[in-house]
Amino acid sequence: MIVERIWTGNAFRNYNYLIACPESGEALAIDPLDHEKCLNAARVRGWQITQILNTHEHHDHTGGNAAVVAATGAKVIAHHLAGGRIPGVDRGVKAGDVIKVGKTVELECLDTPGHTMCHICLRAHGDQPALFSGDTLFNAGAGNCHNGGNVEAMYATFADQIAKLPDDTRVYPGHDYIENNLRFTLAREPDNAAAQSLLPEVAGHDAASARVTTLGEEKQFNTFMRLSSPSVIAHLREQFPELPEAPDAKTVFTKLRELRNTW
């Protein structure tokens, strides 16, 4: 499996992705908003985009579909309940479904509600596991639930699915928000050494060449994966004095998301 990460450089700080089979040259485009960059990257690499996967229905992830389909004839894949929200869906997928790309690439669909209720993440197994996480998991953060989402569903996605994946899973999110997310981490957990160390590296960084994190690293500096940290809980209580002495993880997650909404 070859992964081409495409930095759009737009105001929304989107990442688009091409996943290619090295044997056949067939490629899957994930959320190809910047269709020109995606099509050009495929041409340069000699790949043929045969499929598009939309992680969810928001326009900054689906807006390039029509142009890519017009140029390549690619089939559009999305959550099986998102067809009414995404024009031209050819295949609706559910949890456990497999997307095959060329001869060698197989990607497992995870049904990951929270940011929206029709959100798909893709998991690549193998020697180098990877997660294409859309707007569910960001570097050092979690997606918001403003536009058709649900924070309780997001917590369940993190607790029941994301957190249980192998620590060496590489994380490929839909946006670059790492600098602001790390600042949020340090506001909630000022003694987080991993966040303190990483922030200078990413402050003002070039998102096009930013390194890819792993889930093991995320568990060190992503506040939404540190729900039992005494420091996180103590500082959260400063904002929410009514918080019980030993709050459950779901409550901590929900309160963190509430604070992040206005950060």
Side-chain angles (χ1 to χ4, degrees):
M1 179 181 77
I2 305 172
V3 178
E4 181 86 5
R5 184 179 63 180
I6 297 166
W7 169 238
T8 63
N10 65 4
F12 297 108
R13 304 187 66 80
N14 289 81
Y15 280 128
N16 301 164
Y17 297 94
L18 298 179
I19 302 175
C21 168
E23 291 188 15
S24 69
E26 295 175 58
L28 168 76
I30 298 179
D31 294 337
L33 174 65
D34 195 326
H35 57 274
E36 292 182 351
K37 287 185 178 179
C38 290
L39 291 169
N40 184 64
R43 280 194 295 268
V44 169
R45 300 295 294 268
W47 297 338
Q48 176 65 31
I49 298 174
T50 57
Q51 299 173 92
I52 296 168
L53 183 282
N54 290 137
T55 57
H56 61 290
E57 66 269 28
H58 291 161
H59 182 74
D60 63 317
H61 294 257
T62 66
N65 284 8
V68 176
V69 170
T72 66
K75 301 299 184 182
V76 178
I77 305 169
H79 191 283
H80 68 107
L81 296 178
R85 301 177 178 92
I86 302 174
V89 173
D90 297 289
R91 178 187 176 190
V93 290
K94 301 179 181 180
D97 285 352
V98 173
I99 297 173
K100 296 183 178 182
V101 184
K103 299 178 180 179
T104 62
V105 179
E106 293 190 355
L107 302 164
E108 177 190 356
C109 296
L110 305 181
D111 190 342
T112 51
H115 178 63
T116 76
M117 302 310 287
C118 299
H119 194 292
I120 290 288
C121 292
L122 288 183
R123 181 186 178 192
H125 301 266
D127 294 338
Q128 182 54 74
L131 181 71
F132 298 87
S133 56
D135 285 8
T136 295
L137 171 67
F138 294 130
N139 298 130
N144 67 54
C145 305
H146 300 326
N147 300 301
N150 179 280
V151 69
E152 293 186 356
M154 179 68 88
Y155 166 72
T157 288
F158 266 67
D160 299 337
Q161 298 190 69
I162 304 295
K164 295 180 179 180
L165 297 177
D167 280 353
D168 62 344
T169 301
R170 292 164 68 86
V171 177
Y172 294 98
H175 298 265
D176 168 61
Y177 298 146
I178 188 169
E179 179 178 349
N180 206 32
N181 285 341
L182 286 172
R183 295 189 188 281
F184 179 75
T185 289
L186 289 170
R188 308 272 63 80
E189 189 180 12
D191 55 346
N192 186 305
Q196 290 172 350
S197 175
L198 184 56
L199 181 58
E201 178 184 330
V202 303
H205 74 305
D206 178 7
S209 58
R211 71 178 180 86
V212 177
T213 67
T214 66
L215 274 180
E217 291 175 313
E218 292 293 328
K219 291 173 183 178
Q220 296 178 39
F221 53 66
N222 189 325
T223 309
F224 293 93
M225 303 188 80
R226 299 182 55 76
L227 306 179
S228 62
S229 163
S231 181
V232 168
I233 294 170
H235 285 86
L236 196 60
R237 190 172 287 108
E238 294 174 1
Q239 301 292 321
F240 301 99
E242 73 281 9
L243 208 65
E245 184 62 29
D248 61 88
K250 182 178 178 181
T251 297
V252 175
F253 187 98
T254 301
K255 294 301 186 183
L256 286 171
R257 186 60 260 177
E258 182 179 337
L259 290 176
R260 185 65 179 85
N261 288 343
T262 55
W263 179 259

